Every structure is written in structure tokens, then in C-alpha cells.
């Protein structure tokens, strides 16, 4: 809640609401004067009507049976209590106390009211306000997988609005990535619209590619930190359990025959399959990764690059013990050459050509790399040390 100086109101209701602020040094005095006056009125009212019911959780408890009618009778008779016809005897007959003078403490405080106007204004209490966090899951995942991450954020940044998007769960995560991008775009747009100060994205595994595409195609996104959590940003080229389950008769050496066909591009994993031994086929057939990397010309390349550079910070997280992302350096935009030697980000053509803004982002100091050993692929979003080291510092 903003303080009085920020909201433009003194108090929330009654005398102090919906009027211009007085001089800065008079604010506390005005509030205290109004408070004393209201306290006096309340004291007189309580001396007639008795004490109000106790407060619980910021609201009045319900009256006991029979008290509601008594309260209504008392309120309806307030205009009659001082009537000569009713008097003390009439009030006594109704079971109500007669009129009493204000408490002595109030009377003693009245001469000092002018001095209260001279008291300096107290500073408004500071309350941290954190940007909303949007979480996008990976292949065969669901929102339930991120319950630990949700707890960590609530512990370190209480009050943060965290949305774990429950879209394309389980086998639905195999649907073409452009279809998923459209679905996630429709889900994140209203969240961004309600957060003019910006949002953070935490995107895991395949979800990191979905999020990078979102940054490219959304003209007015307001992402402050894009946290890519063990995501194959430069593609995937490895015999993983996922791959064997999906294509049991194929190996990485011949999967290009499936993935680089129109039929294969209907599977999300083929949208970022990157065979370093068949680069020409990759560039011509890839309907997703080659486009968001700017490796193939298309009419939206300039606009997508401009949109991507709206991001405040890119945080890249991964490690050598991941066991799924192959090579693991793909999490940091590194990848194999034709000899399967890993070239780091700064040696990649997409960086050297600055085809989608990666070099520009690095030049302005907006890329953070956070490698961590000893973490398996399915444990990135539940490892507390990883959260404290690589995620929490960037959730402003």
C-alpha cells in the first residue's frame, strides 16, 4: 500500500479522504486531530451503546443471538435518549445506560491539539514490491514439477505473484513449438499487461526455447529477467531416454532423416534437433530453431531481433552433469562443430553475426552465465543451492 504522500490521501475514509494534502509538516497533526475527534465520538457512542464486538482478522465477529436486535433498538433510540420525555428513567427501562461525559483523558488532551499540527511527518514504511514471475515447463513436464521452486520464491520474495503456466503438459509438449508459442503467448500477455513494471521468465529445458521465441515475436513484451534453466538454446544432438522412447528405431546419427522431413517437424523435439554433420539440411528444414536463431532469412528477422533486445537480462544456467542436454554447453549457446568439438558462444556464427541480438546483449553486459556441476536434468528446478546462486539474485 503506498504511503500518504504517494497515494494523495490522508487516511482511507472519513475526514481525511479525497481531499488535497495539507502542508507536509501538518500531515501527522491533521491525522492525529481527526483521530482524537473520532476517538471522542467513539467514546461517547460506546458509553451509550456499550463496547463493540471484538475484532477477528480485521472484521467484526457476528453478534450473538439476540444482540443484533438489541443493537438496532439502541441505534434507533439514540435520538430519543436526551428527550425530556424519556430521560434517565426511560433509558433505564430500555436497559440502556444514560448519557455519560467523555473520558477525562480526552478532555485533558484537547488543549494540546494545536501543538500536534507542528509535528513533522513520519516517513511512509517501505514495503518491497517484486515483479511477477512466469514459469514455463519443459518436455513431458507439468506445473506440479515446480512446487519446490514455488516454495523457494515464496520464502525469499514473499508476496511475489508466481504463475506456473499449465499448458501443453505431458505428451502435449510434443506438439510443434510454434503452436506452443502461440498458446503461451495468449497466456502471458494478460500477465504482462497487469505488470507495467515488468515480469521475470523462468523457463526450463524445452520451455527455454518457447520463451526465447516469445521474446522474439512479442512486440511489447516487458521481460526484465529471462532465466533459461538448462535449455538447449543452440539445439540438441544426443541419444537420450526421451529420444529412444520417441524414436526407438533411430539413433542420433540417422535421426536427421526423420526430423528434417515435414512429418518430423510436427514433433517439438525435431524443431530444435541440430545435427552438426548435416548443417545444410538443418538450415533448410528447421522450421523453428533456425528461424529464431536468425540462421535463415525470413521477413520478420529485423523485427524479431528488435523485440528480443527488449529483454533486460538473459541468465543462462546449465552444467556438465545434466545428462540430457547434449552438448550441455548448448545451455550457454555453445555447440558442436562438424568434428563434434564444442565451440563456445563467442565462437558461434549466430553470435559473430549478431543475427538475433546475442552479441549486442553481451556487449551491454546483460548476459549472465551460471554453470553448476552435480545437478541432473530433472533436478534443476528443485535444487535449493542452485536457486540461491543462480535464480534468486535476479528476481528483483
Amino acid at each position: 500500500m503506498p504511503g500518504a504522500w504517494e497515494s494523495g490521501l490522508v487516511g482511507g475514509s472519513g475526514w481525511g479522504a479525497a481531499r488535497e494534502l495539507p502542508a507536509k509538516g501538518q500531515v501527522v497533526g491533521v491525522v492525529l486531530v481527526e483521530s482524537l475527534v473520532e476517538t471522542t465520538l467513539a467514546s461517547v457512542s460506546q458509553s451509550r451503546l456499550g463496547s463493540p464486538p471484538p475484532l477477528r482478522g480485521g472484521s467484526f465477529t457476528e453478534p450473538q443471538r439476540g444482540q443484533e436486535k438489541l443493537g438496532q433498538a439502541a441505534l434507533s433510540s439514540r435520538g430519543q435518549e436526551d428527550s425530556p420525555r424519556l430521560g434517565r428513567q426511560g433509558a433505564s427501562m430500555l436497559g440502556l445506560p444514560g448519557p455519560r461525559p467523555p473520558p477525562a483523558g480526552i478532555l485533558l488532551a484537547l488543549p494540546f491539539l494545536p501543538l500536534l499540527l507542528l509535528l513533522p511527518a513520519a516517513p511512509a514504511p517501505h514495503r518491497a514490491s517484486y515483479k511477477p514471475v512466469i514459469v514455463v515447463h519443459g518436455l513431458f513436464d507439468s506445473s506440479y514439477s515446480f512446487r519446490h521452486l514455488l516454495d523457494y520464491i515464496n520464502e525469499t520474495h514473499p508476496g511475489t505473484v508466481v504463475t506456473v503456466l499449465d499448458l501443453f503438459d505431458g505428451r502435449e509438449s510434443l506438439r510443434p513449438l510454434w503452436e506452443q508459442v502461440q498458446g503461451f503467448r495468449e497466456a502471458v500477455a494478460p500477465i504482462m499487461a497487469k505488470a507495467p513494471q515488468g515480469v521475470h521468465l523462468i523457463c526450463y529445458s524445452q520451455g527455454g526455447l518457447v520463451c526465447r521465441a516469445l521474446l522474439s515475436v512479442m512486440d511489447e513484451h516487458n521481460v526484465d529477467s529471462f532465466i533459461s534453466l538448462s535449455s538447449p538454446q543452440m539445439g540438441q544432438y544426443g541419444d537420450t531416454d526421451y529420444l529412444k522412447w520417441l524414436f526407438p528405431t533411430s539413433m542420433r546419427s540417422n535421426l536427421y532423416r526423420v526430423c528434417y522431413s515435414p512429418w518430423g517437424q510436427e514433433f517439438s523435439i525435431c524443431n530444435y534437433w541440430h545435427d552438426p554433420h548435416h548443417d545444410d539440411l538443418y538450415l533448410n528444414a528447421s522450421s523453428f530453431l533456425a528461424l529464431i536463431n536468425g540462421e535463415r532469412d525470413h521477413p520478420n528477422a529485423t523485427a524479431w531481433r528488435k523485440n528480443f533486445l527488449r529483454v533486460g537480462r538473459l541468465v543462462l544456467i546449465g552444467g556438465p552433469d545434466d545428462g540430457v542436454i547434449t552438448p550441455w554447453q548448448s545451455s550457454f549457446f555453445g555447440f558442436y562443430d562438424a568434428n563434434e568439438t564444442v565451440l563456445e558462444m563467442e565462437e558461434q556464427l549466430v553470435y559473430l553475426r549478431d543475427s538475433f541480438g546475442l552479441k549486442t546483449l553481451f556487449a551491454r553486459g546483460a548476459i549472465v552465465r551460471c554453470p553448476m556441476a552435480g545437478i541432473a536434468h530433472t533436478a534443476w528446478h528443485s535444487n535449493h543451492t542452485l536457486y540461491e546462486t543462480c535464480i534468486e539474485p535476479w528476481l528483483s
Side-chain angles (χ1 to χ4, degrees), residues 368-379:
V368 177
R369 285 179 276 201
C370 192
M372 186 166 288
I375 302 179
H377 188 70
T378 56

Side-chain angles (χ1 to χ4, degrees), residues 140 167-176 179-180 206 268:
F140 299 126
L167 297 171
F168 300 99
D169 293 356
R171 295 188 182 188
E172 287 296 303
S173 63
L174 287 170
R175 299 191 69 81
E179 181 180 331
Q180 296 191 43
Q206 178 178 279
S268 64

Side-chain angles (χ1 to χ4, degrees), residues 246-266:
L246 188 60
F247 304 111
T249 62
S250 299
M251 299 177 62
R252 71 172 189 168
S253 60
N254 59 18
L255 188 61
Y256 73 93
R257 296 173 180 171
V258 175
C259 280
Y260 295 157
S261 68
W263 173 78
Q265 288 293 300
E266 293 298 311

Side-chain angles (χ1 to χ4, degrees), residues 219-337:
D219 296 335
E220 301 298 328
H221 78 76
N222 59 354
V223 176
D224 185 7
S225 293
F226 166 31
I227 300 175
S228 173
L229 187 57
S230 187
S231 175
Q233 292 293 348
M234 276 299 288
Q236 171 75 8
Y237 184 67
D239 289 320
T240 64
D241 291 338
Y242 299 126
L243 185 64
K244 293 174 183 177
W245 178 85
L246 188 60
F247 304 111
T249 62
S250 299
M251 299 177 62
R252 71 172 189 168
S253 60
N254 59 18
L255 188 61
Y256 73 93
R257 296 173 180 171
V258 175
C259 280
Y260 295 157
S261 68
W263 173 78
Q265 288 293 300
E266 293 298 311
F267 292 91
S268 64
I269 192 171
C270 286
N271 292 157
Y272 51 93
W273 185 253
H274 191 175
D275 189 330
H277 305 291
H278 299 88
D279 203 52
D280 290 342
L281 290 176
Y282 158 75
L283 293 175
N284 290 324
S286 175
S287 62
F288 182 83
L289 184 61
L291 295 181
I292 65 172
N293 277 354
E295 295 174 286
R296 193 167 80 223
D297 291 336
H298 60 93
N300 297 314
T302 301
W304 286 9
R305 184 180 183 277
K306 180 180 178 182
N307 293 341
F308 178 74
L309 289 173
R310 289 176 60 88
V311 70
R313 183 184 300 106
L314 171 60
V315 181
L316 302 172
I317 302 171
D321 302 305
D322 180 273
V324 172
I325 305 303
T326 311
W328 67 269
Q329 292 91 337
S330 181
S331 297
F332 301 94
F333 286 98
F335 204 72
Y336 294 129
D337 64 8

